[in-house]
Amino acid sequence: VKKALCINSFEDIIQLTKDKEYYIPTRFVDRSICEDPQNKLLQLIPYVAFYTVDLDEYRIKFIEYNRGNKGNEERLHNSNSIGFGGHIDSIDDLDYTILKKEDGLTYFKMNYAELVQTAINAARREVEEELGFDVFAQLGINPDVDSCYFFLGNQDIDVNKVHVGLSIPVKVDKETFNKI
């Protein structure tokens, strides 16, 4: 059974960004439960976008790729993407303060830094799965926690009603951009 790290509401994220020492409850929930908007859970999705600033062309360039038709998320098959990301799984390196078990669920209590670091840890795994190598380690790239931000997609689209994104922009030089 696939599980995803979930939060209770976007209001929790708003409070967390206002007060970085504030803690919100998070927990792993069966993804089939998370996908139902009536359950009012949001799955946190870290999303890494590699970019470079091309001063010669006065442009910001993002790495773009076609997702193909493999993977579990059929909604994303054959779509273009400027980022790499996915669910936070129980195999990821979690950064949390308090752990408790109740009603068969494991709850974590995370502040801003812990939640963002957990998301970055999961994003590293996702990027490695997509590219086939640990681009962060091999190219000496470290995402900047302070440049990350949370976002909601268009709430008229069902899939966006059950996900909250964490944008992890990673600026690289032109040479590194071309290597990726």
Side-chain angles (χ1 to χ4, degrees):
V1 174
K2 287 198 170 224
K3 294 187 177 194
L5 187 72
C6 294
I7 61 170
N8 293 328
S9 68
F10 196 68
E11 287 74 27
D12 277 349
I13 294 292
I14 292 170
Q15 180 61 38
L16 195 63
T17 57
K18 286 181 184 176
D19 179 0
K20 303 226 171 165
E21 295 304 314
Y22 183 78
Y23 287 88
I24 64 170
T26 63
R27 63 191 179 274
F28 283 105
V29 180
D30 183 314
R31 280 177 48 185
S32 64
I33 294 170
C34 302
E35 289 294 328
D36 184 348
Q38 292 181 348
N39 290 325
K40 304 213 183 289
L41 294 169
L42 289 173
Q43 302 164 73
L44 180 60
I45 306 293
Y47 195 74
V48 178
F50 294 100
Y51 72 97
T52 192
V53 177
D54 188 331
L55 296 176
D56 296 331
E57 295 183 27
Y58 302 103
R59 292 183 176 200
I60 296 174
K61 294 181 178 181
F62 290 88
I63 296 214
E64 180 182 4
Y65 70 102
N66 184 285
R67 289 183 173 268
N69 61 2
K70 294 181 181 176
N72 296 329
E73 287 290 339
E74 290 182 27
R75 298 175 286 211
L76 301 175
H77 287 180
N78 296 314
S79 63
N80 286 339
S81 181
I82 64 163
F84 304 88
H87 294 88
I88 297 174
D89 295 330
S90 57
I91 62 169
D92 292 317
D93 185 17
L94 301 180
D95 194 359
Y96 58 88
T97 299
I98 295 175
L99 168 69
K100 72 175 182 174
K101 293 188 182 242
E102 186 177 284
D103 300 325
L105 293 175
T106 302
Y107 290 83
F108 307 93
K109 189 174 175 184
M110 297 179 177
N111 65 20
Y112 180 86
E114 292 166 339
L115 187 60
V116 171
Q117 189 58 57
T118 293
I120 288 172
N121 295 343
R124 292 176 75 103
R125 175 189 49 78
E126 287 285 345
V127 170
E128 184 173 354
E129 285 177 8
E130 294 286 340
L131 294 178
F133 69 102
D134 186 349
V135 67
F136 294 101
Q138 209 162 26
L139 299 176
I141 299 170
N142 287 312
D144 178 11
V145 172
D146 294 327
S147 69
C148 299
Y149 59 92
F150 294 96
F151 66 94
L152 285 175
N154 179 344
Q155 294 297 289
D156 293 333
I157 300 171
D158 284 341
V159 70
N160 292 338
K161 292 177 182 177
V162 295
H163 293 91
V164 59
L166 178 69
S167 174
I168 306 169
V170 178
K171 183 179 179 183
V172 295
D173 60 38
K174 228 175 177 178
E175 182 181 329
T176 303
F177 183 85
N178 291 330
K179 285 181 185 176
I180 297 173

